[in-house]
Amino acid sequence: MAFGRKKASAGPDLPSPSPSAETDRTLTTTVPYGSQDIPKPVLKRATRTRKAFAVLTSLCLLVSVVFMVLVEIGNTYDRKVLTDIYFLRIDLTNVVPSAVPNARLLNSIARSLGLHDFYTAGLWGFCEGYNDEGTTFCSKPQTLYWFNPVEILLNELLAGATIALPAELITYLNILKTAYQWMFGFFLSGTCLAALLIPLTPLSVFSRLTTLPIALFTLLAALLITAATVLATAMFIIIRNAVTGVAALNIGATLGLEMFVFMWIAAGFSLVAALVQLGLCCCCASRRDVRTGRKRGSRKAWEGAGLAPPPGVVAEKKSSSKEGRSVFGRKKAEV
């Protein structure tokens, strides 16, 4: 009875026990989570999606850099593969139209005066050659080079010889020089920046604070490469039309297919890398997010290890649903 009286008297004074809350805590959290308590295998698997996208960014940048290197070294040396990569090819094989009397003889005389059959423009210099011999000479690579067909042709001719060139081509020379040098700077800067970012982009798996500057620099590299590609495409299309637009001279001009394909592939992959990296700023849990409990990452990482996700994310959803049911119940009771 004494034991019973103590139990009865203690009843009103003591707070009601809450075994359900203690039980839930024991069931949902098997390990005391802290910034250093999450096992590394769980942490890595929880952020596997983010790591995959970070590696994808590096691969896209790598592909972009490879094709940009081909653009950079194209038309620099007298090698079969390199001389096939050019922006523009000017053909002087039949510079005198066939309608002119003795056109074949005059074309042969033009060749004897020092003119070559074709000239190709690259990023660092130009190459020249004959149709039956191929490329015979490439200029020494030069920084901030720009393709000046007037100067090249006049230097090729013997002393005292001259040749009439389209007036439209001469008008565009100043614009051509400025555009060529901007294109050179954009291509070189974008390529170097993209190459530096290849080993840095996987660091975005650790924190969003690290991801933001990497994403901004990746976007800058993509903009530089894309701007140079657009500028080169527009510029050489204009030059080709100016060269072939004069009927008095039968000068041919064609764009280099390989060069333009390489440019646009590099620009496309750089843009994909920038978009993926920008997406990582707000999507996919980083390792810092998982440690601090902001995000849990992959559910399979926790279930596979027999652990519960950090309570910061899961508990909020459960508590909010319980509160909603209790509030709804009280309102229904009051009504």
Side-chain angles (χ1 to χ4, degrees), residues 258-272:
E258 291 86 353
M259 180 71 85
F260 283 87
V261 170
F262 293 162
M263 286 192 306
W264 281 105
I265 290 177
F269 274 94
S270 65
L271 288 175
V272 171

Side-chain angles (χ1 to χ4, degrees), residues 41-313:
V42 176
L43 187 62
K44 290 182 178 180
R45 188 172 182 182
T47 58
R48 183 178 297 177
T49 302
R50 188 178 185 87
K51 182 178 180 181
F53 281 111
V55 173
L56 177 63
T57 305
S58 294
L59 292 177
C60 290
L61 289 175
L62 178 61
V63 173
S64 180
V65 169
V66 168
F67 281 98
M68 282 307 307
V69 169
L70 293 176
V71 172
E72 296 280 348
I73 66 176
N75 215 58
T76 52
Y77 297 99
D78 184 11
R79 300 290 185 271
K80 177 61 179 175
V81 177
L82 298 182
T83 54
D84 291 337
I85 305 174
Y86 54 85
F87 290 110
L88 183 71
R89 175 187 171 111
I90 297 179
D91 191 356
L92 302 179
T93 305
N94 299 311
V95 64
V96 180
S98 58
V100 177
N102 300 321
R104 182 176 300 179
L105 177 61
L106 293 176
N107 285 321
S108 63
I109 294 175
R111 179 171 177 175
S112 63
L113 290 176
L115 292 179
H116 289 71
D117 289 341
F118 64 85
Y119 298 87
T120 55
L123 192 63
W124 296 80
F126 75 96
C127 295
E128 60 188 12
Y130 301 103
N131 293 332
D132 53 351
E133 300 179 17
T135 302
T136 58
F137 171 77
C138 289
S139 64
K140 185 178 179 180
Q142 179 183 350
T143 305
L144 294 178
Y145 169 82
W146 70 286
F147 182 66
N148 188 348
V150 175
E151 181 181 359
I152 294 173
L153 295 179
L154 292 179
N155 290 337
E156 291 288 313
L157 294 173
L158 297 177
T162 184
I163 185 174
L165 293 172
E168 294 182 4
L169 178 60
I170 299 176
T171 304
Y172 290 135
L173 284 181
N174 291 330
I175 301 176
L176 173 64
K177 179 179 179 180
T178 303
Y180 217 108
Q181 292 179 347
W182 276 103
M183 178 191 69
F184 183 95
F186 285 169
F187 270 138
L188 191 59
S189 302
T191 304
C192 294
L193 184 57
L196 290 175
L197 289 171
I198 292 175
L200 296 179
T201 49
L203 297 178
S204 58
V205 72
F206 295 100
S207 172
R208 296 177 189 275
L209 298 177
T210 309
T211 305
L212 181 59
I214 295 177
L216 294 178
F217 282 112
T218 305
L219 179 61
L220 178 60
L223 292 178
L224 289 173
I225 296 174
T226 304
T229 301
V230 173
L231 183 61
T233 303
M235 178 176 61
F236 284 105
I237 289 177
I238 293 174
I239 297 174
R240 181 198 61 183
N241 295 338
V243 170
T244 59
V246 180
L249 293 175
N250 191 26
I251 300 178
T254 56
L255 300 177
L257 179 61
E258 291 86 353
M259 180 71 85
F260 283 87
V261 170
F262 293 162
M263 286 192 306
W264 281 105
I265 290 177
F269 274 94
S270 65
L271 288 175
V272 171
L275 292 176
V276 172
Q277 196 65 25
L278 288 173
L280 290 179
C281 293
C282 57
C283 300
C284 300
S286 66
R287 294 187 180 179
R288 185 173 181 270
D289 291 335
V290 176
R291 286 194 183 99
T292 57
R294 294 180 181 178
K295 293 187 177 183
R296 65 185 179 186
S298 175
R299 181 189 296 270
K300 295 181 180 179
W302 306 93
E303 294 176 350
L307 302 174
V313 177

